[in-house]
Amino acid sequence: MTDREVDERLQRALLDALRDEWEETPADETPLSARQQRRMQAMLRDPNGYCRKKSRPVWKRAARTAASFFLVCTVSLTLLLAVSPGIRAEVLRWAREVRDGGVFYRFAGEDMEPDGLRYTIVKLPDGYVKTDDRTEERGFFRVSYRNDLGQEIVLSCADSAKGVVLEPEGRGPAEDVAFTHLTGRLYPALDPSGTSALVWEDQEEQAWFMIEAPVDRETLEDMAIWVFPELPRYRLSELPAGVVPWETPMQESPSSVHLMYVDENDYFFSLSWSYMRQGSGMGVFSSSGGELHSKDVTVNGMSGQYYWSDDPGESVCVVWVDEEENLMFTLDGMVSKAELLRLAAGVVPVD
Amino acid sequence: MLPIFIGLLEDAEDQRAFAELYQRYYGRMAAVAARYFPEDPQEAEDALHNAFLQVIRHFEKVSSLSCDVLPFWLVSIVKNESITLLRRRRRVVPLEDWSAFEQAAEDGELGARTVAEVIRAMPETYRAALELRFLEERSEREIARALDLSVSAVKSRISRGRALLVKRLQEEGITP
C-alpha cells in the first residue's frame, strides 16, 4: 500500500470519527443573539464582500464548478424556473420560487442602467468626506474627497468603450499589481508627501478606474476594492421613539445598500435596497429554521410580500419592488406587521 | 428572518449555495461550537462565525465535496475553530500527554475498539492537526498558525498521530 493510499484510509477514519460526532450532536436550533444575527446577515448578504473585509485572499469563485455538490443535492434554480408549474412568474421580469425553507426572487428583465457613469469609494480612510463630483464629459466621471488637513483623494472613471485613457502625470515608474480578482498599474508618488495613483480596468463594469491619493499602496488597493456604482440613497421618514440609524448606509456590494437601525438595547430593524440587474436576485430565509409564511401586500402602491415564520422570537420582513427605479427593497425587524408596513410606507429617497 | 440580495449571475450560484449551506447546517454547527463553550454562548458564536468564514475562504473545496461527506467536514471546521479560539483565550493551556495516551491505546485502556474511536479519544490538538492536514489539506505552517503551535510541534503531532493510526489500521487488518 502506498503512502497516498494509507493517507486516504486515514482520511476515511477521520471522517468516520466526525460522522459519529455529527450523529451524536442534537439537531436543535440554537437561538441567535442579536449580535450574531447582524454578523450573519452581513455575511450572507454578500459573502464575497464580507470576507474581503475580514481578510485577504478572499472568496474563491467556484460558480462554474460543474461538480458543485449543490447540483447533486438540490435541483438547480434555472431548471426549476424552466419547468416547475409551482413557480410564480406572473410577471415576466420577476420570478418567485418557494423551496428549501426559503423564498427566492430572480430578476429576468432587461438591465436598466442609470444614465451616465457614476461610481463612488464606499470605504474611505478615516476623516475623508466627499467634496465634489462631476461628469467631465460623456464617458468620464470624477469624484473627490478631502480631509481636515486638506489632503485629497480623487477617483476617476472612464467607460472602456469610449476609449478614454487614464494616465497619471508626474509619478514614479509604474509597476504591475494584483489585488483580489483585479490587476492594475501602481504609479508611486515621487516624494513621501506626494500622491500615488492606482489604475485598473474592471471588465465586469466595462470601465477604467484611477485613484490618486496621498496614501500607501495597501490603502490604495483597499479603496480600489470598494469602488462601486453609486446607488440612490433612501431613509425612513419617521422612526419610533429611541430608534436611530446605526452608522451610515453601508453599500456592501456593487448593487445593494444596507441601513441598520438600533434602539438603546440593540438591533431593531434594517432596510436594504438593491439595484436589479439581469440574473441578480434575492432570498428570504428563516434564521431559526422555522417554516416561512407570506402574504401579498402593497407598499406605497408597489406590490410586495410580507414574511413571517413559526418562531415568534424571529424578526418579520417585507419585500417590495419599485419597478420604475428597478430597485428591490427589504425591511425586516422585531416589530409587528402593522408597524413594519407603516415603516415601509415611510421609506423616502434622500435628496 | 434573513433577506439576502444575491449578486450578478456570476456569483449568484455561489452566494445562493452558501446561503443554503448556512440554512441547512447552521443548527448542528452551532451545537458543536456550544459543546466547547458551555458557559459562554458568545464565544461559541465567535467560533461558529469563524467557521463560516473558513467555509467562504475554502468554498472551492467545499463545493467539490459530496453530500455524504460535507456535514462531517463542517463539523471538523467548527470544532477546530473552537479549539483555536479556546487556545487563544485560555490563560493556561492544558498539557497534552501523548505518551500516556499512546500507552493507553496500546494497552487497550481507552475502551476504544475502532480507529474512529481512537481518533475521538486523542488529545485535541493531535486530532485537530490530523484533520487540518488530511481533510482540509492545509500546510504545516497554516496549521501552526491556526492552532497556535510551532511548526515543529505540528510536524510532531501529525507524525505521531499518523503512526499510531496506521498501526491501529494494520491491527484491524485494514492496511497491510
Side-chain angles (χ1 to χ4, degrees):
Chain A
M1 190 171 267
T2 63
D3 272 359
R4 194 178 159 180
E5 284 166 329
V6 171
D7 287 350
E8 281 171 5
R9 295 277 187 195
L10 269 179
Q11 198 178 47
R12 218 170 299 159
L14 288 164
L15 281 170
D16 283 345
L18 288 165
R19 178 180 291 116
D20 295 344
E21 218 164 331
W22 175 264
E23 281 164 4
E24 286 167 17
T25 305
D28 305 341
E29 292 292 339
T30 310
L32 285 167
S33 69
R35 164 178 163 269
Q36 182 67 4
Q37 278 197 32
R38 265 203 311 270
R39 289 197 302 186
M40 284 312 299
Q41 280 197 352
M43 182 191 273
L44 287 163
R45 188 172 297 112
D46 177 17
N48 189 2
Y50 191 86
C51 216
R52 201 160 38 191
K53 258 195 305 188
K54 295 289 169 194
S55 63
R56 289 184 286 173
V58 297
W59 174 259
K60 294 185 179 175
R61 292 163 185 253
R64 290 153 293 238
T65 307
S68 165
F69 69 96
F70 287 102
L71 296 180
V72 181
C73 293
T74 64
V75 183
S76 83
L77 176 63
T78 317
L79 204 62
L80 274 169
L81 286 173
V83 301
S84 169
I87 296 167
R88 293 178 54 176
E90 61 278 270
V91 182
L92 279 179
R93 296 175 65 211
W94 286 96
R96 188 164 75 102
E97 177 206 1
V98 182
R99 70 186 177 93
D100 292 342
V103 176
F104 296 89
Y105 291 77
R106 180 62 66 103
F107 180 69
E110 288 192 10
D111 288 357
M112 286 166 48
E113 296 289 350
D115 291 337
L117 189 72
R118 298 180 75 86
Y119 289 88
T120 187
I121 305 172
V122 300
K123 288 197 178 163
L124 290 160
D126 289 343
Y128 281 89
V129 290
K130 185 170 162 183
T131 51
D132 183 33
D133 64 57
R134 56 188 183 272
T135 304
E136 303 275 342
E137 56 188 85
R138 194 156 172 75
F140 184 80
F141 174 73
R142 175 175 292 211
V143 56
S144 50
Y145 310 86
R146 202 175 275 272
N147 66 10
D148 288 344
L149 302 172
Q151 293 171 311
E152 191 177 40
I153 294 172
V154 178
L155 167 69
S156 307
C157 322
D159 186 339
S160 300
K162 307 280 182 199
V164 180
V165 177
L166 294 175
E167 177 87 39
E169 291 174 347
R171 305 300 201 299
E175 59 172 300
D176 291 333
V177 290
F179 49 102
T180 65
H181 63 295
L182 301 168
T183 54
R185 303 267 290 163
L186 177 74
Y187 298 81
L190 288 173
D191 61 78
S193 59
T195 59
S196 300
L198 180 63
V199 179
W200 74 99
E201 183 183 22
D202 188 329
Q203 293 187 339
E204 274 176 31
E205 295 293 330
Q206 296 186 336
W208 280 94
F209 297 93
M210 177 166 71
I211 297 177
E212 296 164 280
V215 296
D216 59 21
R217 170 185 169 169
E218 196 177 335
T219 311
L220 268 176
E221 289 178 6
D222 282 346
M223 282 192 281
I225 291 167
W226 293 101
V227 170
F228 288 155
E230 191 168 50
L231 292 182
R233 290 285 190 257
Y234 289 83
R235 66 180 175 85
L236 286 163
S237 56
E238 278 182 47
L239 289 173
V243 174
V244 292
W246 188 62
E247 298 184 336
T248 52
M250 189 59 238
Q251 188 170 346
E252 287 169 334
S253 77
S255 59
S256 61
V257 182
H258 180 63
L259 181 53
M260 194 172 294
Y261 291 83
V262 293
D263 65 7
E264 59 185 7
N265 295 319
D266 213 337
Y267 171 75
F268 201 80
F269 54 83
S270 61
L271 170 69
S272 302
W273 58 95
S274 180
Y275 176 72
M276 289 292 137
R277 288 175 168 178
Q278 206 168 53
S280 61
M282 207 274 289
V284 182
F285 302 89
S286 160
S287 52
S288 69
E291 193 181 338
L292 268 186
H293 304 282
S294 73
K295 189 173 172 48
D296 289 344
V297 292
T298 303
V299 177
N300 289 337
M302 295 173 272
S303 61
Q305 282 80 37
Y306 167 73
Y307 291 97
W308 73 101
S309 85
D310 289 337
D311 180 354
E314 188 170 0
S315 63
V316 292
C317 168
V318 60
V319 177
W320 72 100
V321 176
D322 183 333
E323 299 249 0
E324 271 182 34
E325 298 293 331
N326 213 29
L327 288 168
M328 176 175 254
F329 291 85
T330 72
L331 181 67
D332 72 307
M334 301 293 292
V335 291
S336 67
K337 177 188 175 186
E339 176 73 344
L340 191 75
L341 293 178
R342 191 186 69 76
L343 289 166
V347 172
V348 292
V350 175
D351 295 331
Chain B
M1 202 72 64
L2 291 168
I4 304 155
F5 286 113
I6 298 164
L8 292 176
L9 193 61
E10 185 178 46
D11 286 328
E13 281 302 310
D14 275 0
Q15 294 195 14
R16 194 171 60 82
F18 179 69
E20 286 184 11
L21 180 146
Y22 168 81
Q23 188 70 15
R24 188 170 298 180
Y25 298 113
Y26 168 79
R28 287 267 182 103
M29 289 172 74
V32 171
R35 277 212 312 261
Y36 286 83
F37 302 96
E39 305 295 324
D40 194 341
Q42 193 165 317
E43 297 263 294
E45 286 184 342
D46 286 347
L48 178 68
H49 198 69
N50 291 346
F52 277 113
L53 281 172
Q54 287 295 349
V55 170
I56 295 172
R57 286 186 194 117
H58 299 95
F59 202 73
E60 202 168 336
K61 166 82 178 170
V62 174
S63 60
S64 71
L65 295 170
S66 78
C67 302
D68 300 343
V69 174
L70 177 72
F72 319 129
W73 200 86
L74 295 174
V75 172
S76 165
I77 293 181
V78 71
K79 202 164 58 68
N80 292 326
E81 287 301 326
S82 302
I83 291 170
T84 301
L85 209 58
L86 269 177
R87 287 180 64 79
R88 289 202 180 135
R89 297 188 181 174
R90 263 182 202 154
R91 296 198 172 177
V92 180
V93 178
L95 276 176
E96 294 176 320
D97 190 343
W98 176 258
S99 306
F101 170 77
E102 200 173 24
Q103 193 58 54
E106 274 192 17
D107 297 345
E109 289 170 8
L110 294 175
R113 284 164 301 167
T114 65
V115 179
E117 284 168 343
V118 173
I119 291 170
R120 292 189 64 183
M122 255 183 197
E124 66 183 22
T125 61
Y126 283 79
R127 182 178 172 190
L130 289 170
E131 285 176 356
L132 291 169
R133 183 76 198 97
F134 293 108
L135 298 181
E136 297 187 31
E137 293 167 1
R138 294 210 218 169
S139 70
E140 284 161 349
R141 190 176 291 276
E142 285 172 318
I143 298 169
R145 211 177 303 136
L147 297 178
D148 232 6
L149 293 167
S150 66
V151 172
S152 59
V154 167
K155 278 183 181 168
S156 118
R157 276 162 172 73
I158 292 172
S159 149
R160 285 167 162 182
R162 186 179 182 278
L164 178 83
L165 293 178
V166 167
K167 195 172 165 199
R168 199 62 197 239
L169 286 167
Q170 283 166 343
E171 284 166 9
E172 287 187 11
I174 297 172
T175 58

